[in-house]
Amino acid sequence: MRGEQLGSKSAGEQFELLTAEELAERLRVPASWVREQTRSRALEGDPLPHLRLGRYVRFRWGSQELEAWLRRRLFARSLREGTPVC
């Protein structure tokens, strides 16, 4: 299954549901890293936003929650390294 588009165009939010492997490919990280970031103990209680569908875990590519999480990680990294964000 390649990422399926969901959301209503009238609501203005479009996103795709991705597997851990698909998200890892887009972020250019190992799938094991993506799965680890979904655990509640990951990153000081700030796990990667995800949906649990029974035993399956999916990620909403294009969602505000995922974009905000990525921005927080980028900001935290820049603080640690002392480099500007963007």
Side-chain angles (χ1 to χ4, degrees):
M1 163 172 116
R2 295 299 290 173
E4 294 182 26
Q5 290 190 358
L6 298 175
S8 66
K9 291 187 181 194
S10 61
E13 185 177 11
Q14 289 277 33
F15 58 88
E16 294 177 80
L17 282 183
L18 303 179
T19 64
E21 290 76 16
E22 291 167 336
L23 181 61
E25 184 178 315
R26 291 191 186 190
L27 297 177
R28 292 184 165 85
V29 297
S32 59
W33 182 88
V34 170
R35 286 189 289 274
E36 178 62 31
Q37 300 313 303
T38 63
R39 295 184 174 88
S40 60
R41 67 179 181 268
L43 296 168
E44 300 169 7
D46 186 18
L48 181 61
H50 61 282
L51 301 168
R52 286 211 180 267
L53 305 169
R55 65 182 229 187
Y56 303 104
V57 175
R58 297 293 180 261
F59 304 88
R60 293 174 46 188
W61 184 259
S63 70
Q64 292 177 350
E65 296 85 6
L66 182 57
E67 290 176 15
W69 187 89
L70 289 169
R71 277 194 302 276
R72 287 193 305 274
R73 300 287 65 77
L74 180 61
F75 182 71
R77 179 178 172 205
S78 70
L79 287 178
R80 280 193 314 272
E81 296 175 358
T83 58
V85 180
C86 301

